[in-house]
Amino acid sequence: PGNVLVTADLKLKILDFGITARLDIGAAGSASVCGTPFYMAPEQIRGEVPTPATDIYAFGATAFHLATGRPPFARGNVLDAHLEQEPPDPRELAPDLLPALAAVILRCLRKDPSERYSSANELEDELLRIAAAVS
C-alpha cells in the first residue's frame, strides 16, 4: 500500500517496483526468490515461475491491507504463513467491510492458484458488479 498512489482524479498509480527483499533458498548458489514478503504468493515463495495468478494473490494481500490496516500475515514467519495458514476473514478486523468484498479478497488469497480468479479481467468484472450493487 505504501507504493500505491491515488491521484487527484482518483486514478491508481503503482510506484517503485524495485523495492524487493531477496530471500535465498537453500545453500549458496541455489535458486533465490524476490518479492515483498507480506504480499508474496505461495508459488512465488516456492520459487516457481510467476503467473497472472501470482499477481492476483499480491492484489488480494494489498486489498486486505487497505481494507484492514494490516497485511493478512503480519507476525511471525510471514513466508511460512503464506504457505501454510489461511488468512483471517478481513471482516474480523474491519467489521463494516462488505461481505462480497471480503469474499473477493479471500478468493484472491487462495493457496492454490487455480482457485483464484482466472484473470485480472474476471477480478475486475467481479469488483464492478459489487460497485454497481452498492451504488
Side-chain angles (χ1 to χ4, degrees), residues 10-105:
L10 300 180
K11 292 185 180 176
L12 293 177
K13 303 287 182 175
I14 300 174
L15 310 172
D16 202 352
F17 287 107
I19 297 177
T20 61
R22 182 178 167 141
L23 306 166
D24 291 328
I25 300 174
S30 63
S32 66
V33 177
C34 289
T36 304
F38 291 114
Y39 309 98
M40 289 175 67
E43 64 273 15
Q44 186 178 8
I45 294 166
R46 290 189 297 267
E48 298 169 12
V49 176
T51 67
T54 307
D55 291 333
I56 288 171
Y57 187 96
F59 171 84
T62 301
F64 186 102
H65 193 157
L66 291 169
T68 68
R70 72 167 183 85
F73 305 108
R75 295 193 179 115
N77 188 325
V78 173
L79 297 179
D80 281 348
H82 281 289
L83 291 169
E84 300 168 3
Q85 296 176 20
E86 292 304 316
D89 184 328
R91 292 175 298 159
E92 292 173 11
L93 301 165
D96 294 337
L97 185 65
L98 291 173
L101 188 53
V104 167
I105 292 169

